[in-house]
Amino acid sequence: MKYYKKLLGEKIYLSPMTTEDAEKFTEWLNNFQTTDYIGRSGAIITLEGEKQFLEEHIKEEAAFGIIELETDKIVGTISLEKIDHLNRTGTLGIFIGDTQARNKGYGTEAIRLILDYGFNYLNLNNICLDVLEVNKRALACYKKCGFKEYGRRRKCIYLNGKYYDRIRMDILAEEFKDKYIKNRNI
């Protein structure tokens, strides 16, 4: 698989998503180690369904694969979705599907790269996300990247016999001042 270094970081880069990764995403999205933390364990993802989703999703303005710089191996996906150019808002979606790539800082780096891109290239002002309260690792990562909680829907996600809160978080352009994209020209 050929990937392109659109947003270059220290350990990873973000490459535009492609339908050629559908088989890998299907594998990840049928693994409870991934889906329990993103609230999608009840879904059954087929290869055909994932290909169709990717065909529609890659038309989004900022949908990327997360690629290890050293190996050129895809380890996850990140995107800015529901971009509203009038109000300058977007929604962040991310997951690290490769279980061997977790706890290496790839998620934090990918988020910082896409925030830099969203605020400094797409001219967004507010980027939000949803996270399950049970996903402690993601919560810590989002806070580390500057996201703040602004709301919570209580016990609205049913997962493995229990209900969990959905936490809403966001970050503003004025709260994000660093530059993380290494291959920027100006």
Side-chain angles (χ1 to χ4, degrees), residues 10-27:
E10 297 286 335
K11 298 183 283 187
I12 56 129
Y13 63 93
L14 304 185
S15 178
M17 281 211 316
T18 172
T19 56
E20 291 180 45
D21 290 315
E23 192 170 327
K24 181 58 67 181
F25 292 152
T26 302
E27 176 188 331

Side-chain angles (χ1 to χ4, degrees), residues 24-122:
K24 181 58 67 181
F25 292 152
T26 302
E27 176 188 331
W28 291 338
L29 291 170
N30 282 295
N31 181 339
F32 288 124
Q33 289 183 9
T34 300
T35 59
D36 276 355
Y37 292 103
I38 59 174
R40 301 225 17 226
S41 292
I44 297 171
I45 308 299
T46 64
L47 181 57
E48 294 76 23
E50 187 61 16
K51 281 181 183 175
Q52 181 180 355
F53 173 81
L54 287 173
E55 285 172 4
E56 295 167 9
H57 191 69
I58 60 177
K59 296 173 187 161
E60 297 287 330
E61 292 184 53
F64 299 100
I66 303 168
I67 316 299
E68 282 182 328
L69 190 55
E70 191 175 297
T71 64
D72 284 323
K73 177 182 169 189
I74 190 165
V75 297
T77 181
I78 189 166
S79 61
L80 290 174
E81 304 166 350
K82 301 174 189 160
I83 293 175
D84 177 340
H85 289 286
L86 177 64
N87 293 304
R88 298 176 50 213
T89 61
T91 301
L92 176 76
I94 181 175
F95 72 84
I96 304 296
D98 184 333
T99 57
Q100 301 301 309
R102 294 182 183 152
N103 298 313
K104 292 186 176 183
Y106 294 164
T108 300
E109 187 171 352
I111 290 168
R112 288 176 173 161
L113 286 169
I114 207 163
L115 289 177
D116 189 352
Y117 181 69
F119 291 134
N120 295 312
Y121 286 91
L122 299 181

Side-chain angles (χ1 to χ4, degrees), residues 36-39 130-135 139 157 159 165-166:
D36 276 355
Y37 292 103
I38 59 174
D130 287 347
V131 61
L132 298 181
E133 69 175 319
V134 69
N135 196 344
L139 273 167
I157 300 294
L159 182 64
D165 293 358
R166 175 183 290 148

Side-chain angles (χ1 to χ4, degrees), residues 132-161:
L132 298 181
E133 69 175 319
V134 69
N135 196 344
K136 304 296 184 195
R137 184 173 56 228
L139 273 167
C141 176
Y142 298 144
K143 288 177 183 175
K144 183 178 180 179
C145 290
F147 283 86
K148 294 175 177 48
E149 181 177 334
Y150 72 87
R152 180 181 291 251
R153 187 166 184 190
R154 298 172 303 137
K155 302 209 182 300
C156 67
I157 300 294
Y158 185 75
L159 182 64
N160 196 20

